[in-house]
Structures are given as structure tokens and as C-alpha cells.
Amino acid sequence: MTRAIALADIRTARERIANKIERTPTVLSHSLSECCGVSVHLKLEHRQTTGSFKLRGASNAVASLSAEQKARGVVAASTGNHGRALAHAAKLEGMRAVICMSKLVPGNKLDEIRRLGAEVRIIGDSQDDAQQEADRLVAQEGLVMLPPFDHPDIIAGQGTLGLEMIEQVPDAALVLVQLSGGGLASGVAAAIKGVSPRTKVIGVSMARGAAMKASLDAGQPVLVEELPTLADSLGGGIGLDNRLTFAMCRDLLDDVILLSEDEIAAGIRHAYAQEREIVEGAGAVGIAALLSGKVRSDGPVAVLLSGRNIDMNAHRRIVCGEAPSPGERAA
């Protein structure tokens, strides 16, 4: 598991999960196109079955397991959406799934994972703490680790999004993709660069605790304090022993943009008021990057809306202009 994920791996993943996921639509945003002076297209992946892109990677990883591995069950540390996707994929196979999460994960995401039949373990105040519990379960109970990003089958599954985006917007000059641990960004970038090498791919994250950005700046994986943020799904570290996503993001991303909490809140509000879409903070960062003026393009732009799993009370406060402070949990 040391090589980069190739376009062929992503195409194989697409065939493997074709009947397990939705091919989500891409629509033209008139409001953002007018604002940016170029056509802006929104990839509505937040309409995916479990409310986020994570189902692609989880489905591909579970489908790739042997019968013996499926009998043992799976475990993962998650900030919520990967856990929900893995719980769904495991339930379809009749498998045991244990999801380890920190106290920062919003309650609405915990409830949905439990509803899908997975076991939930709340451990510590960070993704790193949750990962330690997942490692223990692998060592002591023999569960199979399916991490949220640094795994070839996860990356290839997320990369299927890139194939769809470049097929739906073949003349895209720029693609904006969420950046956290890098499974999504590296998979999407590998797919898009494999089909359209001239298309730029920019990763977008929050300023509060952006682990991949800090690692890229340092030239190696580094520890970053995990902080509460509206983009809670983008929290967590990339792992000091990162084997795949750090190098892929370093080699494939054209730039990384960081956003303030106010900018993320503006993205959520715009998605609701102008696009009639309910998205979580992480799902709105591409829109927020355009609204902030931190990224510009001379040609068509494809923006990924990655997830919708936001607590609706928090969403109501945000769209009414009462964005939670950085110290308040987003949901």
C-alpha cells in the first residue's frame, strides 16, 4: 500500500460500486456564475445515500474484503461521515462495524451511525484518540481496519467522484474539493488529472486545525491541534505514518485554500438562500472559497458539495445570521 492510486484503480472501483451508490447530478449555479464571471457548476454529492461522498470509499473498501475479513468485522476512527458510510456498507453485508469517534463529533452524526446498527465508541477529544481505540480493537479483537482516508480502496472509491465531475463538466478549468485527511482530494485529483491534466484542482479546508495544509507546508506529516469548527467533517490529523494521501496531495493539488469560520458560514447561507441546498460546513467550503474571493478562475469551475449531515438547529442559526462562535460545536 505504498504506491499512488492510478486512474485504472479508480475506474475499477467505479465498476465495483456502481450498484451501491448514486451517480449524483451536477447543476449550473446561476448566482455563482454571475458572481465569478465564469460558469460555476455544483456537484450535488450531498444527495448521496448516506448524505456524503464517504459512501463511495466505504463501499469500495468493504466490497474488496475477503470472506474471512468480512466475518471478522470492520473498525474505523471517524469524524462522522465515514462512520455513517461504513456502517451502511457493513449493514448491507451483514457485518459487524465499530466506529470510534471523539467528543467533538456532533450528536446527530452519532445517532445516525447507531441507527444503522454499528457500535459507537466515544474516545477522547481528538481523532487521534479515537484512532488509538480503533488500533486496540484491531490488535485485541481482530477487526479489520478501514480508515477514513489513507487506504487505497478508500481513495479509489472517492476518486469515482472525480470521474463523474470531469465527465459532467468536461471543460472544467478548475475543480474545488474538500481537503481533510486527503482521501477525497487525492482520489478526485488523481481521476481529474488522469483524464484532463490541464484542469487545476484546489483543496479547500478550514483555518482552524487544517492538518494536511500544515503538513504540506512542513514537508512531512505533522501533528495539529484539533479544534471545533463549522467544518467539523474536515477535522482530525493525517497520521504521522501517512502512506498515501500526503504524497498524493503534495504531487497532485495545485493549491490549498483556508477559510475562516465566518467565510464557511457564508457558504452555508449561500447554498441555502441561493441554491436551495442544505449542506454542512465542510460541504459548503467550495462555495465559500469562491464567495471569499480567495480563488479565481478564467474558465469553468466545478465545485463539490460533499455532505449534508448538519444538525438542523445549527443550520437554522447559521442561515439566520447567528453563526456559532469558533468555540461552539457546529452541530
Side-chain angles (χ1 to χ4, degrees):
M1 299 202 324
T2 57
R3 66 180 177 86
I5 305 307
L7 183 60
D9 299 313
I10 297 169
R11 286 176 168 156
T12 297
R14 175 157 70 172
E15 295 177 2
R16 186 180 289 128
I17 65 175
N19 65 346
K20 302 178 186 298
I21 65 162
E22 298 292 331
R23 181 182 170 93
T24 52
T26 293
V27 299
L28 177 69
S29 167
H30 296 287
S31 62
L32 289 172
S33 297
E34 182 177 352
C35 174
C36 298
V38 296
S39 61
V40 177
H41 306 262
L42 303 178
K43 175 62 167 170
L44 308 183
E45 184 65 10
H46 63 298
R47 298 185 184 179
Q48 190 54 254
T49 303
T50 58
S52 87
F53 73 93
K54 291 286 191 177
L55 186 60
R56 295 172 182 265
S59 295
N60 189 48
V62 167
S64 300
L65 295 176
S66 67
E68 183 272 335
Q69 288 173 316
K70 290 180 180 179
R72 286 158 53 193
V74 294
V75 63
S78 172
T79 54
N81 285 338
H82 175 64
R84 181 173 179 176
L86 188 57
H88 176 88
K91 183 177 182 180
L92 291 181
E93 295 284 344
M95 295 166 50
R96 180 190 181 194
V98 182
I99 310 301
C100 303
M101 292 174 286
S102 80
K103 297 174 184 176
L104 293 178
V105 176
N108 65 301
K109 294 184 178 181
L110 302 178
D111 293 343
E112 185 61 21
I113 291 169
R114 291 189 178 105
R115 186 189 69 79
L116 288 167
E119 302 169 39
V120 173
R121 307 281 177 92
I122 307 300
I123 307 293
D125 298 313
S126 73
Q127 181 82 337
D128 291 332
D129 293 335
Q131 184 61 53
Q132 289 180 9
E133 174 66 7
D135 291 338
R136 185 190 68 80
L137 289 169
V138 170
Q140 296 184 7
E141 298 188 23
L143 294 175
V144 176
M145 180 78 72
L146 289 182
F149 52 87
D150 198 33
H151 187 287
D153 294 326
I154 297 291
I155 297 169
Q158 318 305 28
T160 63
L161 251 177
L163 290 180
E164 290 182 19
M165 292 177 77
I166 202 63
E167 289 168 356
Q168 292 167 333
V169 192
D171 59 344
L174 171 65
V175 171
L176 297 179
V177 61
Q178 287 72 7
L179 179 62
S180 179
L184 173 64
S186 60
V188 167
I192 289 173
K193 297 288 188 179
V195 174
S196 178
R198 295 183 180 179
T199 301
K200 291 184 177 180
V201 181
I202 293 180
V204 189
S205 194
M206 69 286 169
R208 291 174 59 81
M212 184 60 82
K213 170 61 171 168
S215 297
L216 293 172
D217 288 346
Q220 63 184 13
V222 297
L223 293 175
V224 173
E225 182 183 3
E226 188 172 346
L227 300 169
T229 171
L230 290 177
D232 57 277
S233 294
L234 302 184
I238 72 167
L240 294 180
D241 59 347
N242 187 287
R243 293 174 288 181
L244 292 170
T245 61
F246 171 77
M248 291 182 68
C249 287
R250 179 195 63 205
D251 296 342
L252 295 173
L253 293 180
D254 293 281
D255 200 0
V256 175
I257 302 298
L258 299 184
L259 301 171
S260 70
E261 297 298 297
D262 286 343
E263 288 167 340
I264 296 169
I268 295 173
R269 284 194 290 270
H270 179 95
Y272 182 72
Q274 299 297 324
E275 314 298 341
R276 301 299 190 263
E277 301 291 345
I278 294 174
V279 295
E280 59 187 278
V285 296
I287 290 175
L290 292 175
L291 294 176
S292 72
K294 290 181 175 179
V295 59
R296 301 181 185 277
S297 177
D298 295 328
V301 180
V303 180
L304 176 60
L305 306 190
S306 60
R308 67 167 185 255
N309 297 323
I310 186 171
D311 179 88
M312 292 310 296
N313 288 326
H315 187 270
R316 176 186 55 78
R317 296 198 306 272
I318 293 167
V319 299
C320 290
E322 305 171 18
S325 65
E328 181 181 357
R329 288 172 66 173

